[in-house]
Amino acid sequence: MEDNNTNKPKHQDKIVALDSLSLGISIVAAIIIGFGIGYGLKQLTGYTWTLWLGIAWGIAAAIVNVYRAYKRAQKVYEGMENDPRYAYRAKHGDKSFDKDDDED
């Protein structure tokens, strides 16, 4: 029987976990960088709306980061459909959440 972990690097799981953890940091960093660009533009031009333009760019960059992380996670979970450990749950659903615990 061949081990399918032979092709994976030793710390691949840790790298994936750190990549997911860095999402929160990247959201804050994107907004701070956008603020910095907007503040710099405000100092150069004297217009207040350029500050808001920079903040909007930062928020847009943060949204793009969240979208990319979502797509990456979706690809990982799509691969689980063919995994035999999860085949029963994919075929028949998860029955543990069907009961309503509020009716005690």
Side-chain angles (χ1 to χ4, degrees), residues 54-66:
I55 292 173
W57 282 337
I59 291 171
I63 291 171
V64 168
N65 285 339
V66 170

Side-chain angles (χ1 to χ4, degrees), residues 1 8-9 13 16-17 21-22 25 30 32-33 35 38 41 43 49 63 75 85 90 98 100:
M1 211 158 114
K8 267 178 38 173
D13 295 334
V16 170
L21 178 65
S22 69
I25 296 169
I32 289 174
I33 291 170
F35 174 79
L41 287 173
Q43 294 300 319
W49 63 269
I63 291 171
K75 284 182 184 178
R85 292 179 291 178
D98 288 344
D100 190 13

Side-chain angles (χ1 to χ4, degrees), residues 31-72:
I31 294 173
I32 289 174
I33 291 170
F35 174 79
I37 291 171
Y39 186 75
L41 287 173
K42 180 183 175 195
Q43 294 300 319
L44 286 173
T45 62
Y47 295 117
T48 306
W49 63 269
T50 56
L51 172 68
W52 293 107
L53 181 66
I55 292 173
W57 282 337
I59 291 171
I63 291 171
V64 168
N65 285 339
V66 170
Y67 178 74
R68 287 181 182 165
Y70 169 74
K71 285 304 215 181
R72 196 173 355 174

